[in-house]
Amino acid sequence: MASQVLVAANRGPLSYALDAEGALSARRGGGGLVSGLSAALAQQPDTLWICAALSEGDREAVRRGVAEPGVRMLDIDPEVYDGAYNGIANSVLWFTHHHLYDIPREPVFDAEFRRRWGAYTEYNRAFAQALAQEAAEGACVLVQDYQLALVPGLLRELRPDLRIAHFTHTPWASPEFLRMLPDDIRAQLLWGMLGADRLGFHTRAWAADFVRGAGIDDASGTAEGVWPSGGAPGVWHRKAAPDGSGLLERRFTEVAAYPLGVDADELRALAHRPEVDDKLAALRAEVGDLKTIVRVDRTELSKNVLRGLLAYRELLAAHPEWRGRVVHLASAYPSRQDLEVYRRYTASVRELADEINAEFGEEGGWQPVLVSVQDDFARSLAAYRMADVALVNPVRDGMNLVAKEIPVVSEQGCALVLSTGAGAYAELRADALTVNPYDVTATAEALHTALSMPAAERAERTKRLAAAATALPPSRWFANQLTDLRAPTGPAGD
Ligand code: G6P
């Protein structure tokens, strides 16, 4: 039966593993996007979620016709998938939107890049075709993230009757960074996004970066971003018809911010399961009654784990009174290990933590840093509960839900040291200690202030942080986008 509401995301709610006997077992897919969407869709039971088969287990599940209700997995050729996911989404678009390039050496847009871009286009086309097949007349389609940036444009060509939204979970590149892409590729990327009726971002800052960088004037048409003082921001565009029959009607793509928050009740319930109590007891036994600085991240270049450790080292050097009185619990679990630069980064994190322990640690006694590389959500929740200070210092980050989760769960209230580059900064800055993520000395001083903050002030600030963090829980975040997508787009100031 054709669906009225469809979601498309690279990762699905489940992934399958194949055991030695050939049996398939399902487990929940990883990452922030999946947990946010899964929570949102629990309230929208008739939604179809289209995703890619990521592993051999997933491909086998597709071949055997194993599927959860409400999920369709696409078995995309592994080479095409690798070019699209590793080659473009994670190596080019992720780096562009997070400003991660080591400019003297990167990026290099050569023939190999063009081959990968072809794979990225093919992978996006597979999603557009599946959505076109599955959608009912006039259905709403909500496409997720930079892996699928071309889907709205490709889908609109196939099914002009649909209402199409796209949501970006990362930042959007500033116009200067976007202009690093070859001109024709930048135009393809923008035309892909502008196929949508509505574009969503976590913050107004990322929405504004999109609107500022959306200008196009090429053989296929023109586009111009507008941000009127009273009306809706967005992009006016006019694209030549593919059949050469002249210009299509002028269209407007509206751009809006939907800052994803956390579901307080659900998170607190998760954080008080017996499994988490056990992990908490184990951590307490290890740390004793010392103060804790907690961070939990994928070992992701944008998370700035190295400068966080450098700041902690500077704290111990500049404020020796903290030696022996604080432990930095750094959960930095490996991510994207298919990419060499991530493997090197992960190794550097471990080396730096070892150096700090060697420099300040006491033999058989106090160890200043405890690094955990296991992706263990129960242990992370236990660390949240005992956090005196939360350190969230990404260089640039779409939202960063950890900054919202820790204040909701911490038992004694925590002081939040928060980067100005995190999307969460927009909502949490009033009660956080905010830092320029590149300024290691300022971060060290913020850690000192956080550790010294009187308990009553910490508790008050945490209460307000938790209120801000839970303002738009996933179910409402999604429902609001769906309501807005169903409403006709109405630009002001035409
Ligand atoms: C995080 C980001 C998302 C992104 C996802 C991809 O959750 O916030 O923007 O889509 O990572 O992670 P993956 O492991 O699927 O590449």
Side-chain angles (χ1 to χ4, degrees):
M1 207 180 66
S3 301
Q4 292 293 346
V5 179
L6 300 93
V7 162
N10 172 61
R11 220 174 249 283
L14 294 171
S15 70
Y16 295 89
L18 200 56
D19 71 15
E21 278 79 52
L24 285 172
S25 57
R27 68 179 288 232
R28 186 176 149 152
L33 182 149
V34 168
S35 52
L37 262 189
S38 302
L41 295 189
Q43 319 280 325
Q44 304 272 345
D46 295 327
T47 306
L48 177 67
W49 183 331
I50 297 192
C51 59
L54 306 181
S55 62
E56 248 330 288
D58 289 349
R59 290 179 204 291
E60 189 53 32
V62 177
R63 275 177 226 128
R64 291 186 198 172
V66 174
E68 290 300 304
V71 180
R72 176 168 164 200
M73 262 190 189
L74 306 179
D75 184 1
I76 294 164
D77 176 83
E79 221 174 289
V80 170
Y81 184 76
D82 179 62
Y85 177 73
N86 288 316
I88 297 295
N90 287 348
S91 300
V92 176
L93 297 179
W94 182 274
F95 276 64
T96 304
H97 290 325
H98 291 87
H99 300 179
L100 290 177
Y101 281 123
D102 177 11
I103 300 290
R105 292 186 177 77
E106 303 166 311
V108 173
F109 295 123
D110 55 4
E112 176 57 18
F113 162 75
R114 296 270 162 183
R115 189 192 66 73
R116 291 175 180 168
W117 187 261
Y120 181 74
T121 308
E122 200 175 327
Y123 152 89
N124 273 255
R125 187 167 292 121
F127 273 82
Q129 284 166 346
L131 289 162
Q133 264 171 21
E134 303 281 359
E137 178 72 21
C140 288
V141 179
L142 296 101
V143 182
Q144 308 298 311
D145 234 356
Y146 59 97
Q147 299 95 343
L148 300 179
L150 305 184
V151 167
L154 295 168
L155 181 57
R156 181 167 295 280
E157 280 178 22
L158 298 171
R159 290 287 305 271
D161 59 297
L162 301 177
R163 299 288 298 161
I164 306 172
H166 183 283
F167 191 89
T168 298
H169 294 258
T170 60
W172 188 264
S174 67
E176 300 71 29
F177 268 77
L178 200 69
R179 285 206 167 269
M180 287 163 65
L181 295 173
D183 293 351
D184 60 321
I185 300 291
R186 180 175 54 88
Q188 285 179 43
L189 180 68
L190 290 168
W191 282 128
M193 296 283 283
L194 294 173
D197 296 291
R198 297 185 62 88
L199 295 173
F201 295 87
H202 280 306
T203 68
R204 285 171 66 82
W206 310 143
D209 277 338
F210 180 85
V211 169
R212 287 194 301 131
I216 318 176
D217 187 353
D218 70 2
S220 54
T222 59
E224 191 195 356
V226 291
W227 197 286
S229 51
V235 181
W236 280 108
H237 47 100
R238 202 193 271 277
K239 195 176 183 191
D243 62 3
S245 62
L247 287 182
L248 288 181
E249 187 193 357
R250 200 156 84 115
R251 285 186 49 240
F252 184 72
T253 294
E254 194 168 326
V255 174
Y258 300 90
L260 177 64
V262 301
D263 182 327
D265 292 342
E266 191 198 304
L267 189 64
R268 290 196 184 111
L270 281 173
H272 287 89
R273 285 170 302 155
E275 187 193 354
V276 180
D277 292 339
D278 294 347
K279 302 266 178 183
L280 181 63
L283 270 179
R284 265 288 163 228
E286 229 174 315
V287 171
D289 57 2
L290 305 186
K291 292 220 178 222
T292 58
I293 298 173
V294 170
R295 78 172 304 141
V296 175
D297 300 287
R298 294 187 293 120
T299 316
E300 160 57 53
L301 312 186
S302 60
K303 302 291 182 189
N304 210 19
V305 184
L306 285 175
R307 286 194 195 83
L309 285 169
L310 291 174
Y312 182 61
R313 176 158 80 184
E314 200 157 310
L315 168 82
L316 297 177
H319 297 279
E321 68 272 25
W322 290 114
R323 295 183 198 167
R325 290 179 52 213
V326 61
V327 173
H328 184 14
L329 293 174
S331 187
Y333 50 91
S335 161
R336 302 195 183 155
Q337 297 291 297
D338 287 347
L339 301 181
E340 153 77 13
V341 58
Y342 279 71
R343 292 198 294 273
R344 270 189 279 130
Y345 189 76
T346 307
S348 308
V349 166
R350 292 202 184 128
E351 280 159 25
L352 183 53
D354 289 346
E355 269 175 39
I356 295 172
N357 281 337
E359 187 178 344
F360 296 100
E362 293 153 9
E363 254 195 65
W366 176 63
Q367 291 299 301
V369 190
L370 255 176
V371 173
S372 158
V373 295
Q374 248 82 57
D375 182 3
D376 178 346
F377 190 46
R379 185 183 186 278
S380 300
L381 288 170
Y384 287 5
R385 279 173 62 180
M386 66 194 277
D388 294 302
V389 175
L391 175 58
V392 182
N393 67 324
V395 290
R396 198 171 160 90
D397 206 339
M399 172 50 76
N400 200 309
L401 283 179
V402 173
K404 293 187 166 181
E405 289 168 349
I406 301 184
V408 171
V409 170
S410 80
E411 288 179 353
Q412 308 295 323
C414 66
L416 174 63
V417 175
L418 180 65
S419 160
T420 53
Y425 168 79
E427 295 161 279
L428 304 184
R429 66 182 164 197
D431 285 295
L433 300 167
T434 61
V435 290
N436 166 347
Y438 304 98
D439 190 340
V440 165
T441 301
T443 307
E445 282 312 305
L447 289 173
H448 173 64
T449 309
L451 287 167
S452 317
M453 191 182 283
E457 180 183 347
R458 233 171 74 170
E460 277 308 307
R461 283 183 185 242
T462 304
K463 226 189 279 168
R464 290 190 296 262
L465 286 169
T470 53
L472 198 57
S475 52
R476 282 201 23 233
W477 169 83
F478 188 83
N480 288 358
Q481 290 177 68
L482 194 54
T483 307
D484 292 347
L485 183 59
R486 284 184 175 134
T489 311
D494 179 7

